[in-house]
Amino acid sequence: LRATWHLTPAQRQLALVQQGQGSDCGLGWFRTAERAAQGRFSQPIYRDRPFVAVMRADRVAGAPRSLEALLADPARPLLVKTGYSYGAAIDAMLATARVPPQATSAEPLPMARMVAAGRAGWMLMSGDEAEHLLALPEVADGALASLPLAGQPPGPTRHLYCSPAVGEAWLARFDRALATDGRP
């Protein structure tokens, strides 16, 4: 399967796929009903580790250990990415949270800087994403830490999310290759 990789911000990926004008795909997207109505998904390519809270290291002590309690804590406002899905269950919790999340169109690294600077209380990430983020030189100074959340199931599956202009045959070949690779 021929493909050309381009480093593209998440919101731009979403726009390209949903405009449906080119043979565009985004890698690692969660499947939602809204997205499925505007594009095509591959079979799962990966299942995230459970979600964690990423917050200032000096605020981890005494922080609630459950997602529900953190969402209800007005002293720790959650920072979320506009247009991003955290999976159906968490998206539903965010929609009804007593303390509305702060939204930004920033990518994860600038979001982490906002949390480190105290402009937001915390951010929610898969354990994989948090591990990668906290190892980046720009934030590896120990100012941030990840807090495992009690009772979190394995994260949702990630998929290739493609424009309707991507042929069904191409996506079927991609899915067959995944099946032979033993992916989730």
Side-chain angles (χ1 to χ4, degrees), residues 50 65-66 149-153:
R65 300 289 192 219
S66 75
L149 299 170
Q152 285 299 300

Side-chain angles (χ1 to χ4, degrees), residues 23 25 27 81 97 102 122 131 143 151 166 177:
S23 295
C25 294
L27 180 63
K81 182 164 182 54
Q102 296 173 248
W122 60 289
E131 185 177 297
V166 172

Side-chain angles (χ1 to χ4, degrees), residues 15-163:
L16 287 168
V17 167
Q18 292 176 348
Q19 288 168 0
Q21 297 175 358
S23 295
D24 299 300
C25 294
L27 180 63
W29 287 86
F30 295 153
R31 183 183 195 113
T32 67
E34 177 185 348
R35 291 176 187 163
Q38 298 179 21
R40 296 183 177 150
F41 281 93
S42 71
Q43 292 298 312
I45 57 175
Y46 185 75
R47 180 174 296 278
D48 278 350
R49 292 186 351 224
F51 279 95
V52 299
V54 174
M55 63 180 58
R56 287 173 50 126
D58 62 359
R59 301 214 48 207
V60 169
R65 300 289 192 219
S66 75
L67 179 57
E68 295 82 359
L70 271 172
L71 287 172
D73 186 353
R76 292 181 171 87
L78 171 63
L79 182 63
V80 297
K81 182 164 182 54
T82 303
Y84 187 78
S85 172
Y86 295 86
I90 293 176
D91 288 349
M93 290 175 69
L94 296 178
T96 61
R98 190 173 57 139
V99 179
Q102 296 173 248
T104 181
S105 60
E107 294 295 319
L109 182 56
M111 289 174 68
R113 289 181 180 137
M114 292 169 69
V115 170
R119 296 196 326 253
W122 60 289
M123 54 194 280
L124 190 60
M125 304 182 88
S126 75
D128 303 297
E129 290 174 314
E131 185 177 297
H132 172 75
L133 177 81
L134 296 175
L136 294 174
E138 298 92 331
V139 293
D141 60 2
L144 295 174
S146 86
L147 174 70
L149 299 170
Q152 285 299 300
T157 56
R158 292 186 180 265
H159 306 259
L160 194 63
Y161 179 40
C162 298
S163 160

